[in-house]
Amino acid sequence: MATTDSDTTTTDDTVLSMENVTAGYGNTTVLHDVNVAIEDGQIACLIGPNGSGKSTLMKSIYGFADVKAGSVHFRGQEITGRSPQANLKNGISYVLQDASVFPNTSVHENTLMGGYVFEDDEKAAQRAEVLYDEFPILGDIRQQDAGTLSGGQRRLLELARALMVDPDVMLLDEPSIGLEPRFIDDVFERIEQLNDLGTTILLVEQNAEKGLSVADRGFVLASGEIKFTGTGTELLNDEQVGRLYLGG
Ligand SMILES: Nc1ncnc2c1ncn2[C@@H]1O[C@H](COP(=O)(O)OP(=O)(O)OP(=O)(O)O)[C@@H](O)[C@H]1O
Ligand SMILES: [Mg+2]
């Protein structure tokens, strides 16, 4: 089994961690005693069956779910229960599984909305230009209504919007869902590029092989519990993980 003690223990390089977190919604408990530690500069990938609590794990980091016990830390600071807006200001950005764009609003206006925590419009406009250099396709169609974009273009817009704050850490919940294979490869390339530029990434991915293959660290969640942790490669090669969660 791929789990070792060091996988879930925080170190000096830990940027984001959950310690003994039990969380859910109101009276419903979804996560049970979850421990996760992600180091600076890593891509971490969370896999697990539908309904196992992957999105809830992200939501309990970000303040969208109720943490009932345990704690969440970001760069050594406790952030348990902080609001999404405070987390965004603090350098954590989140692309929800059901992220959406404003369809009757231009690509540019949608991009700018990602910087709503900036008090300075000029700063937001400058940041958008930097992102259009990185995502030329979005720059080209900036005046177009977002509702006219293809699925792949829309996903890039969602990513760009989340990058407006130049986050330290990005939480990406199923960024490849519903996309054609050629767009999936594009999104994964973007994720790896962002990571190369220093952004730490926590990814939820239903294509477990693909997700683990780009991940420095992997976590398997089932029934709200972390069942396996290890490097991406360790999990890909683990006999039990393969049989139970990779369809192999
Ligand atoms: N807002 C909510 N209120 C109450 N229960 C919820 C809420 N959101 C999710 N749940 C429940 O929490 C459990 C875990 O859901 P979650 O969305 O975290 O799973 P998931 O692993 O992300 O699933 P999927 O792979 O389908 O995206 C499910 O039983 C779901 O019904
Ligand atoms: Mg989910």
Side-chain angles (χ1 to χ4, degrees):
M1 158 158 171
T3 305
T4 68
D5 282 348
S6 64
D7 290 329
T8 51
T9 306
T10 56
T11 70
D12 286 350
D13 290 330
T14 301
V15 60
L16 185 65
S17 64
M18 299 173 76
E19 284 156 39
N20 306 108
V21 167
T22 293
Y25 309 92
N27 291 327
T28 309
T29 299
V30 177
L31 300 181
H32 307 276
D33 202 24
V34 163
N35 287 283
V36 162
I38 301 164
E39 291 185 7
D40 215 358
Q42 282 186 329
I43 297 181
C45 179
L46 177 65
I47 65 166
N50 292 128
S52 57
K54 303 181 298 297
S55 297
T56 301
L57 188 150
M58 287 191 161
K59 288 176 183 173
S60 52
I61 292 171
Y62 214 66
F64 285 127
D66 307 322
V67 176
K68 299 155 191 264
S71 58
V72 183
H73 286 82
F74 175 60
R75 295 212 179 281
Q77 243 184 347
E78 182 164 357
I79 60 162
T80 319
R82 278 207 188 162
S83 70
Q85 187 174 1
N87 284 315
L88 186 63
K89 265 192 169 160
N90 209 15
I92 310 175
S93 194
Y94 183 15
V95 182
L96 287 135
Q97 183 171 351
D98 45 9
S100 59
V101 297
F102 293 91
N104 300 318
T105 305
S106 70
V107 165
H108 186 54
E109 288 297 326
N110 271 277
T111 303
L112 290 177
M113 280 176 211
Y116 78 96
V117 291
F118 292 153
E119 263 117 49
D120 181 348
D121 288 352
E122 186 54 32
K123 188 174 161 196
Q126 281 170 8
R127 177 67 185 157
E129 294 306 322
V130 170
L131 292 172
Y132 296 144
D133 283 343
E134 285 175 33
F135 298 80
I137 174 72
L138 293 180
D140 292 346
I141 56 172
R142 64 167 81 185
Q143 299 308 340
Q144 209 169 305
D145 277 357
T148 65
L149 304 190
S150 71
Q153 290 171 330
R154 208 186 79 178
R155 203 55 50 88
L156 292 184
L157 175 55
E158 290 161 5
L159 274 182
R161 185 175 58 186
L163 286 167
M164 276 293 286
V165 296
D166 197 6
D168 281 352
V169 174
M170 281 190 99
L171 312 180
L172 301 176
D173 196 347
E174 308 226 14
S176 77
I177 201 165
L179 294 181
E180 293 172 39
R182 65 196 165 109
F183 290 132
I184 293 179
D185 290 344
D186 194 29
V187 165
F188 269 91
E189 250 172 56
R190 291 288 174 182
I191 291 170
E192 292 194 275
Q193 275 172 16
L194 282 173
N195 180 247
D196 288 343
L197 294 172
T199 313
T200 303
I201 290 169
L202 174 59
L203 173 71
V204 168
E205 185 49 55
Q206 101 272 205
N207 183 339
E209 272 97 350
K210 182 98 193 167
L212 291 175
S213 71
V214 301
D216 303 295
R217 173 128 323 261
F219 305 98
V220 181
L221 191 70
S223 307
E225 292 176 18
I226 299 283
K227 303 287 189 190
F228 299 90
T229 62
T231 66
T233 312
E234 280 168 350
L235 293 185
L236 280 172
N237 294 327
D238 188 273
E239 188 272 327
Q240 280 191 70
V241 172
R243 183 163 40 81
L244 295 170
Y245 304 106
L246 304 177

